[in-house]
Amino acid sequence: MDELWVNVRLATMVPGPEPYGRIDDGALAVSDGRIAWVGKAGDLPSGLRNGAGRVHDGEGRWVTPGLVDCHTHLVYAGSRAAEFEQRLQGVSYEEIARQGGGILSTVRATRAADLKTLVAQSLPRLRSLMAEGVTTVEIKSGYGLEPSAEFRQLAAAAELSRRLPVTVVPTFLGAHAQPPEYDDADDYIDAVCGKMLPEVARRHLAAAVDAFCERIAFTPAQTARVFEAARGLGLSVKLHADQLSDGGGAALAARYGALSADHLEYTNAGGIAAMAAAGTVAVLLPGAFYFLRETRVPPVDGFRRAGVPMAVASDSNPGSCPAGSLLLMLNMACTLFGLTPEEALAGATRYAARALGKEMRIGTLSAGKDADFVLWDIAHPAELSYGLGVNPCHTVVRRGRISEPSPR
Ligand code: DI6
Ligand code: FE
């Protein structure tokens, strides 16, 4: 049965002459979980108006596409608050990692957790994002670093999508750190490529493969091996690139046709040009920049000039950004990185969808796409980037159905 939403102001996020793809006095028709029609209420075909099974009055609220968080590590066990205290005393993130803390401390906790515990600890993190209108979330593995624990993280991500009204896009990040039982990183990369990736592909455990290319993680050559294997199995790739140093990660990602390259604080001009040519999305993670008290900002102007689309994501993870809010990231993208509020919102809708290879299904209010949208108590869409710790979310609709608010 078709449903109709009327008396709404639409920020469709479809590019065009109107900022935010704005349509005042809009209407939106939903059929079978998809957007059947969207536009000015006055243009609504009479068949849709008269045939609607139910009409919802938006009471003048703004409606945006459901938010898309295209980069998270939210399935893990434990906390790194003690490490945060250490960092505040002056010990760097890299030093902590080299001492066997950092990612490896979360690996120890995650390996020790069973599926039930992992799901229970991850649920509130996901609920917190969803309470602000997130309807699609990417979740990476990477805290197992051995087949059973990596696959358990991906199983937990799948279980979250069964428990909550949210679309989960799983990513395999086996090449996140060198596990303690390996002396040689290349031997571990052998295991990732030879054992884990084929199973990920065969069991459809993840849609894409990510890696951490950095001084404290894997070299460009090791990353390239992971990408070769992934592409050979028909899996998409993406990369944690140039976060703490310029390792040529952006260009490497582009060379393999990556969906996205993420972080990018140290990306150079060659990397920007390569991303533009390859159509690779730049995923900006201002929360990690903030939480690690970094000083080098990503080359946002360069991305703009080259026409590289920019997404904004939470990076929700225990070490560099224990975030439960994507709206806060929109604010930080503006205040710390210089995005406009419109760019920030496009970064959490349209371009985040593209970073997940899902731009045909989600990311804008367009006929034919999934009916994932949010009604907001705001006077202007810039307010979504303006507030700090403010949640103006009124109603979330996913695949045409109103999501019941769930406790955080
Ligand atoms: N870069 C990050 O910011 C996260 N992973 C990565 O490759 C941090 C992960 C962590 O510190 O636990
Ligand atoms: Fe990350």
Side-chain angles (χ1 to χ4, degrees), residues 71 73 80 83 93 102-103 106 143 173 176 211-212 240 243 263 285 288 292 315 317-321:
H71 180 141
H73 311 242
R80 305 240 290 275
E83 216 173 79
Y93 180 77
I103 292 173
T106 301
Y143 292 120
L173 176 55
H176 195 195
F212 189 17
H240 280 73
Q243 179 187 8
H263 286 288
L285 304 165
L292 295 182
D315 200 13
N317 79 70
S320 70
C321 195

